[in-house]
Amino acid sequence: MSKTVAEHSVSYVQVLDENGKVTNKDLVPDLKDEQLRELMSRMVFTRILDQRAIKLTRQGRLGFYAPVAGQEASMIGSEFATTKEDFIVPGYRDLPQCVYHGYPLEKLFLYSRGHQEGGRVPEDVNVMMPQIIIGAQIVQTPGIALAFKLRGEKRVAVTYTGDGGTSQGDFYEGMNFAGAMQLPAVFFVQNNQYAISVPREKQTAAETLAQKAIAAGIRGVQVDGMDILGVYTVMHEAVERARNGEGPTMIEAVTFRYGPHTMSGDDPTRYRTKETESTWEKRDPLIRFRTYLEEKGLWSQEEEEKVIEQAKDTITEALKKADSAAKMKLTDLIDVMFEEPTIELKRQRAEITGEGAN
């Protein structure tokens, strides 16, 4: 005997197509004109920040950096649907969401340099330091969400990872716990097509990444990750469901990174073609949203130039602050380990400084 014990489906959401035209009027989010301009401004800022960060890395003025161009809609649109009381648990590529959730840009520059001040997040900023370990943030997120639930707080924990992160054990463990406990959490996966250099279709046999939510018993949805209105729409719904006690959601945003995986030696020309890159560049999130806004009379070339100049000034100022930070000493790492250092740490400190040496 055989019988079907369960059937599931994954929905796909798109609001703006590649030409900036609305594909589904019912899904257009209820945002004011100023909010729409703000979304565009933040995407432009992110593109400029990315260009500058790449140059700074090549000059040796930044350390670790993972380019974000192409992913602006998924990053900005998702963070815009949260409140500052919600908690962001980012991966190493998610610096734009950190910036707009209140993480000072100069500290993110220091984080890139490996300076410990870069990980000292201001107490009133609800962001965890960007996680380097692939997928580890997915386990941290249900813990934060559980605290919100136990305290009766109407707050949501939001985490980010890439398509490669969904192949990690931590990914399943975190989502399973969140589903079992019906926690206020959102798992946002940016499927940028490559886990470093491995194409998505070679790292998993799953037809979509969103369907991995089904195994955890939580809601999964796929969205056009180059469409900022689509991203905002699905994220807003997921956040509100979580806030209202309706459980977690996993979102797969289908997007693309134009640059290398990181600036630490990856060469994308070795694993993808010019044709592939050209196809995705035609779906550029800034171009399609710019077209949409211009047709509504909400955006102009002059306004964009103004945002670009402001972005350059903001980045330069943050860089100056980062450059003025005191240089780290090896002993600093020991001094911040515990309130009262252990005997072993005291011994190591003395060995480094020469104190107590015969």
Side-chain angles (χ1 to χ4, degrees):
M1 183 185 78
S2 67
K3 62 180 180 180
T4 301
V5 294
E7 290 183 340
H8 303 280
S9 65
V10 173
S11 61
Y12 174 78
V13 174
Q14 182 191 65
V15 175
L16 294 180
D17 66 14
E18 295 178 26
N19 300 312
K21 304 296 183 185
V22 174
T23 59
N24 189 334
K25 292 182 180 178
D26 294 336
L27 293 180
V28 176
D30 184 21
L31 293 172
K32 297 176 182 177
D33 290 350
E34 281 309 305
Q35 290 176 302
L36 294 172
R37 289 195 183 96
E38 181 64 24
L39 283 172
M40 187 66 194
S41 295
R42 292 186 182 192
M43 283 206 294
V44 172
F45 176 90
T46 300
R47 183 67 61 91
I48 298 301
L49 173 62
D50 188 65
Q51 293 170 353
R52 187 72 190 279
I54 289 172
K55 291 179 180 176
L56 290 169
T57 304
R58 287 171 174 160
Q59 294 167 0
R61 298 178 68 188
L62 287 184
F64 179 84
Y65 180 71
V68 302
Q71 297 187 212
E72 293 90 345
S74 63
M75 292 175 160
I76 299 302
S78 56
E79 193 281 333
F80 201 75
T82 67
T83 72
K84 291 294 181 284
E85 294 303 311
D86 297 328
F87 213 103
I88 302 294
V89 195
Y92 50 75
R93 199 183 304 278
D94 303 306
L95 305 193
Q97 301 97 301
C98 296
V99 169
Y100 285 109
H101 219 69
Y103 205 127
L105 182 56
E106 63 270 20
K107 282 187 173 287
L108 289 171
F109 285 152
L110 290 171
Y111 158 81
S112 171
R113 294 174 178 176
H115 195 295
Q116 66 187 57
E117 280 299 321
R120 201 187 299 274
V121 186
E123 291 187 5
D124 60 345
V125 175
N126 295 310
V127 181
M128 193 79 83
M129 186 179 79
Q131 178 62 258
I132 289 290
I133 302 170
I134 305 297
Q137 68 272 32
I138 307 299
V139 177
Q140 297 170 334
T141 300
I144 296 170
L146 178 61
F148 293 158
K149 183 173 182 177
L150 292 176
R151 295 172 181 169
E153 298 175 348
K154 293 286 188 180
R155 302 167 68 187
V156 180
V158 178
T159 189
Y160 293 87
T161 192
D163 42 309
T166 69
S167 297
Q168 294 291 107
D170 286 354
F171 180 76
Y172 293 99
E173 293 170 24
M175 286 212 307
N176 185 71
F177 187 79
M181 302 295 290
Q182 285 294 286
L183 300 177
V186 178
F187 301 89
F188 195 95
V189 176
Q190 297 182 84
N191 171 10
N192 66 17
Q193 310 304 314
Y194 298 93
I196 305 182
S197 58
V198 179
R200 192 207 68 81
E201 61 272 17
K202 288 189 176 180
Q203 63 158 309
T204 177
E207 188 174 1
T208 71
L209 300 181
Q211 71 197 61
K212 296 188 177 187
I214 296 170
I218 70 176
R219 181 170 171 268
V221 59
Q222 188 185 71
V223 64
D224 182 343
M226 309 292 264
D227 165 21
I228 195 166
L229 294 187
V231 171
Y232 175 84
T233 296
V234 298
M235 186 66 177
H236 182 264
E237 183 181 7
V239 168
E240 289 306 303
R241 289 182 77 254
R243 203 183 307 284
N244 294 326
E246 297 174 56
T249 299
M250 175 197 161
I251 297 171
E252 176 194 2
V254 183
T255 184
F256 192 79
R257 61 168 160 81
Y258 297 154
H261 172 66
T262 71
M263 295 301 293
S264 303
D266 177 49
D267 178 6
T269 65
R270 300 180 65 181
Y271 55 84
R272 68 190 192 199
T273 66
K274 286 289 183 185
E275 289 73 20
T276 298
E277 294 177 356
S278 177
T279 297
W280 280 96
E281 286 170 0
K282 291 174 183 173
R283 304 168 184 170
D284 189 275
L286 274 69
I287 294 175
R288 78 170 71 175
F289 195 50
R290 182 187 297 125
T291 301
Y292 174 76
L293 293 183
E294 286 177 343
E295 291 184 356
K296 292 172 70 70
L298 296 176
W299 196 254
S300 66
Q301 186 62 38
E302 289 181 353
E303 191 160 0
E304 183 152 332
E305 290 297 331
K306 185 178 178 182
V307 173
I308 290 172
E309 292 307 312
Q310 290 174 340
K312 290 179 179 177
D313 291 343
T314 299
I315 294 165
T316 298
E317 186 61 29
L319 193 61
K320 287 181 181 176
K321 290 181 180 178
D323 289 342
S324 67
K327 292 188 181 301
M328 277 185 61
K329 296 178 293 186
L330 189 54
T331 51
D332 292 341
L333 294 173
I334 294 176
D335 294 341
V336 301
M337 191 71 71
F338 299 109
E339 183 175 2
E340 180 63 32
T342 62
I343 294 175
E344 178 61 19
L345 286 176
K346 288 179 179 177
R347 185 196 65 75
Q348 290 181 19
R349 196 181 196 289
E351 184 176 315
I352 293 168
T353 60
E355 297 171 359
N358 294 324

